[in-house]
């Protein structure tokens, strides 16, 4: 096992990885930008080093600076978390060239799956169903003519989806409903893709108006041993980004699940996959599924899989990177109960999900059996405009979906965030909607049911700030263990989260309360 590991990321995922390092007895190293100096998550690492600057390009995307810190502090491995450099094949290769272990798949696997065009070709060869579509470039890499793309769109049938071959997060993506809009949308998507990913390679696919987004978690050790950890449903999305995730998927029956997990494993085998990865599918109304993409990293929503399986995915990523074989047999994996995750963002859903900034006058986490919170914030934290506005992930477990839903309602109502606008009221409206309760959650759920949503109203801001001031004087702080700095100590992310089973090693998390 490594002696020291650097986490090349920030926020809640950095804090979550530091917790796993403590479980494994590995010293952890944080890196932080100027706006993140003193953030609670930086104080949870054993060491922390600055990345001067504010913009992501100067800090969390600065390969040279990160590797220099890793080498100077004596780290043996680098974990990229998710986002930033996590699916950057060049960064993975640079770690290797510097004598560092990249905690994740091989650069070759990242590169193959990072291109939607290449992954599509690999999937077809492996017998994995893909969405009907056309590549915007020919076999020699030359851009196809507008006439060729118009003909392809006609053959596919409108509506069609234009999407960037590289990247994700909705960048370089356009829905085209009729032929006259194709040319302008193609040009706009190409410009956006070039700006976001440095590549204007586009794909054209059939756009389904009523689908579910279902993904399969896989884990491999690069030695031929590969398992799946069942599926998650992540259909409730705003601006093509997930905000509610759950497992098992309400939209998958046993037969469909069996076919989807086999397809996911076939794709992973085709690239000799190592580490944790996710194969994403769209599921249509007729029960047919098609490959969307493969994410070669830990997903934001990985906690729901951990809660129903008892497997610490981050720990196994680190173990595999350290050379351990995957000591988990497929037959030993059985899902238990149901898990839900809600992403709490600093944003205003009633104003087009506009990000919110400011200082947290008061932050209180929910507690109780079956509740897990992954975060990297505390009272007094300043939410800046420089990075993703995700504040926390609230995750609940229950014996069945309804129990997990009720527990999530209680957890969100108990979550207190004062000082910035959050999406908590919006999340509650989703969870309380009859269609969600019935498991009817296609990707257009929000447009269909909550397009005109507005909050019920809020108490006067001065009242809330007065409450926050009173509460902050009553909140005790405890030493963090680093340099004697006093910070409010966050709860152990493995406590109070439901059943755990010791599958695959003596270091698996022990049962929570």
């Amino acid at each position: 096992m490594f002696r020291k590991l650097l986490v090349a990321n920030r926020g809640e995922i950095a804090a979550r990885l530091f917790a796993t390092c403590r479980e494994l007895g590995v010293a952890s190293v944080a890196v932080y930008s100027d706006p993140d100096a003193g953030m609670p998550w930086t104080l949870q690492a054993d060491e922390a080093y600055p990345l001067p600057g504010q913009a992501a390009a100067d800090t969390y995307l600065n390969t040279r600076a990160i590797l220099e810190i890793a080498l100077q502090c004596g780290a043996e491995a680098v974990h990229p978390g998710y986002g930033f450099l996590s699916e950057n094949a060049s960064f993975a290769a640079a770690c290797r060239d510097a004598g560092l272990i990249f905690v994740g798949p091989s650069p070759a696997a990242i590169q193959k799956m990072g291109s939607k065009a290449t992954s599509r070709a690999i999937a077809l060869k492996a017998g994995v169903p893909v969405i009907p579509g056309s590549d915007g470039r020919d076999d020699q890499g030359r851009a196809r003519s507008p006439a060729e793309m118009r003909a392809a769109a006609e053959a596919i049938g409108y509506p069609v989806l234009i999407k960037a071959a590289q990247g994700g997060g909705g960048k370089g993506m356009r829905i085209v409903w009729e032929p006259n809009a194709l040319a302008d949308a193609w040009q706009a998507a190409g410009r956006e893709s070039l700006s976001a990913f440095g590549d204007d390679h586009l794909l054209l696919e059939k756009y389904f108006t009523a689908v579910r987004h279902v993904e399969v978690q896989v884990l491999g050790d690069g030695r031929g041993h590969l398992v799946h950890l069942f599926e998650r449903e992540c259909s409730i999305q705003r601006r093509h980004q997930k905000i509610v995730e759950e497992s098992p998927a309400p939209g998958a029956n046993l037969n469909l699940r069996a076919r989807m997990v086999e397809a996911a494993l076939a794709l992973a085998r085709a690239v000799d996959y190592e580490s944790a990865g996710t194969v994403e599918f769209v599921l249509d109304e007729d029960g047919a599924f098609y490959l969307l993409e493969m994410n070669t990293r830990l997903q934001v929503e990985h906690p729901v899989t951990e809660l129903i399986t008892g497997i610490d995915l981050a720990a196994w990523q680190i173990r595999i990177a350290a050379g351990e074989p995957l000591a988990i047999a497929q037959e030993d994996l059985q899902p238990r109960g149901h898990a839900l995750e809600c992403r709490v963002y600093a944003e205003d859903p009633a104003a087009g999900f506009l990000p919110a900034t400011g200082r947290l006058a008061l932050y209180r986490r929910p507690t109780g059996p079956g509740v897990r919170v992954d975060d990297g914030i505390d009272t007094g934290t300043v939410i800046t405009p420089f990075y993703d506005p995700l504040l926390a992930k609230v995750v609940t477990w229950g014996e069945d979906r309804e129990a997990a839903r009720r527990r999530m309602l209680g957890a969100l109502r108990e979550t207190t965030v004062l000082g910035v606008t959050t999406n908590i009221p919006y999340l509650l409206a989703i969870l309380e909607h009859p269609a969600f309760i019935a498991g009817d959650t296609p990707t257009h759920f929000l447009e269909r049911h909550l397009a005109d949503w507005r909050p019920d109203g809020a108490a006067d801001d001065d009242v809330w700030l007065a409450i926050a001031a009173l509460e902050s004087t009553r909140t005790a702080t405890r030493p963090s263990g680093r340099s004697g700095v006093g910070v409010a100590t966050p709860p152990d992310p493995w406590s109070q989260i439901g059943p755990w089973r010791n599958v695959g090693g003596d270091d698996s998390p022990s049962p929570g309360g």
Side-chain angles (χ1 to χ4, degrees):
M1 180 51 66
F2 309 121
R3 295 185 301 274
K4 185 181 291 187
L5 179 147
L6 182 145
V7 175
N9 217 298
R10 64 178 300 279
E12 62 85 15
I13 186 58
R16 184 260 182 274
L17 292 170
F18 299 149
T20 293
C21 284
R22 288 192 294 272
E23 291 274 337
L24 297 175
V26 176
S28 58
V29 180
V31 290
Y32 60 88
S33 66
D34 291 343
D36 281 341
M39 288 284 280
W41 58 267
T42 68
L43 304 174
Q44 295 176 40
D46 295 299
E47 302 173 32
Y49 298 90
L51 289 168
Q54 295 180 333
D58 300 324
T59 56
Y60 301 107
L61 292 173
N62 190 334
T63 294
R64 180 176 178 179
I66 290 170
L67 294 184
E68 284 180 352
I69 292 171
L71 293 171
Q72 289 171 6
C73 76
E76 299 160 271
V78 176
H79 196 305
Y82 56 72
F84 293 128
L85 294 167
S86 63
E87 293 181 284
N88 187 310
S90 296
F91 178 67
C95 288
R96 178 193 59 197
D97 293 343
L100 298 164
I101 301 296
F102 177 80
V103 181
S106 67
I110 296 173
Q111 189 168 27
K112 289 175 182 177
M113 292 294 102
S115 167
K116 294 179 178 64
T118 302
S119 63
R120 178 185 177 89
I122 293 171
L124 286 169
K125 187 175 181 180
V128 177
V130 300
I131 299 173
S134 178
D135 196 327
R137 293 181 182 172
D138 61 21
D139 293 340
Q140 284 72 47
R142 296 173 298 204
R144 299 187 189 276
S145 69
E148 287 177 304
M149 297 318 299
R150 283 196 302 271
E154 292 291 344
I156 296 167
Y158 287 90
V160 294
L161 177 68
I162 301 168
K163 68 179 185 181
Q166 302 289 337
K171 298 288 193 304
M173 187 177 290
R174 296 290 188 280
I175 301 169
V176 183
W177 297 91
E178 48 91 19
N180 291 336
L182 181 65
D184 288 345
W186 190 268
Q187 292 179 1
R191 289 192 299 268
E192 188 172 82
S193 176
L194 185 63
S195 174
F197 313 120
D199 189 343
D200 61 359
H201 186 178
L202 300 175
L203 303 178
L204 189 67
E205 293 182 345
K206 176 66 180 174
Y207 179 72
F208 297 98
T209 56
V211 297
R212 292 174 181 263
H213 183 132
V214 181
E215 59 191 31
V216 176
Q217 177 72 61
V218 297
L219 189 61
D221 61 8
R223 306 180 183 191
H225 186 29
L226 190 70
V227 297
H228 72 81
L229 290 92
F230 312 101
E231 85 291 344
R232 301 182 288 256
E233 181 156 344
C234 313
S235 301
I236 297 184
Q237 306 174 10
R238 54 103 171 100
R239 297 184 304 195
H240 303 289
Q241 292 182 325
K242 309 161 188 173
I243 56 174
V244 179
E245 299 103 347
E246 58 184 305
S247 185
N253 57 37
L254 291 176
N255 178 268
L256 176 62
R257 178 178 294 119
R259 291 186 288 123
M260 290 182 73
V261 299
E262 186 50 47
L265 291 173
L267 185 65
R269 289 190 195 101
V271 291
D272 298 320
Y273 197 78
E274 177 182 357
S275 192
T278 303
V279 183
E280 303 195 353
F281 299 100
V282 291
L283 173 64
D284 71 15
E285 292 177 301
D286 298 323
F289 64 91
Y290 307 92
L291 176 69
L292 186 62
E293 62 183 346
M294 182 176 187
N295 289 307
T296 53
R297 55 173 167 81
L298 198 65
Q299 292 280 89
V300 179
E301 59 273 19
H302 74 274
V304 295
T305 294
E306 293 183 329
L307 295 198
I308 67 161
T309 62
I311 300 298
D312 183 336
L313 291 169
W316 272 111
Q317 278 191 304
I318 295 171
R319 287 171 173 159
I320 289 167
E324 290 188 29
L326 180 60
I328 302 173
Q330 188 68 66
E331 56 268 23
D332 291 334
L333 291 167
Q334 295 295 330
R336 181 184 172 192
H338 199 97
L340 276 169
E341 175 179 294
C342 285
R343 303 189 193 184
V344 176
Y345 282 98
E347 65 182 17
D348 186 354
F353 303 98
L354 184 70
T357 60
R359 184 181 297 274
L360 299 185
L362 179 65
Y363 173 58
R364 285 282 185 86
R365 303 171 184 86
T367 59
V371 176
R372 165 176 166 175
V373 179
D374 285 16
D375 63 23
I377 58 172
D378 216 323
T379 296
T381 294
V382 176
I383 307 304
T384 72
F386 301 108
Y387 313 111
D388 187 89
L390 179 65
L391 298 177
K393 300 182 316 199
V394 179
V395 197
T396 58
W397 180 91
E399 290 287 349
D400 54 31
R401 186 173 186 267
E402 179 59 15
R405 187 190 73 89
R406 290 196 305 268
R407 188 163 276 165
M408 180 62 77
L409 288 171
L412 290 176
R413 287 169 179 147
E414 187 183 337
T415 303
T416 302
V417 184
L418 301 182
V420 298
T421 301
T422 76
N423 67 335
I424 291 176
Y426 190 68
L427 293 170
L428 290 169
I430 293 170
L431 294 167
E432 292 176 322
H433 196 281
F436 181 88
I437 296 172
D440 182 13
T441 55
T443 53
H444 62 281
F445 179 94
L446 299 181
E447 291 84 352
R448 173 187 288 180
H449 299 299
L450 296 174
D452 299 322
W453 177 87
R454 293 294 182 273
D456 292 335
D460 186 85
D461 287 345
D462 291 339
V463 174
W464 283 117
L465 290 174
I467 294 171
L470 176 63
E471 287 294 322
S472 65
T473 63
R474 298 167 56 186
T475 302
T477 61
R478 293 182 289 174
S480 68
R482 288 188 60 249
S483 304
V485 179
V487 296
T489 303
D492 185 334
W494 304 120
S495 66
Q496 305 293 344
I497 57 175
W500 283 97
R501 295 182 300 110
N502 285 320
V503 175
D506 295 335
D507 294 327
S508 299
S510 56

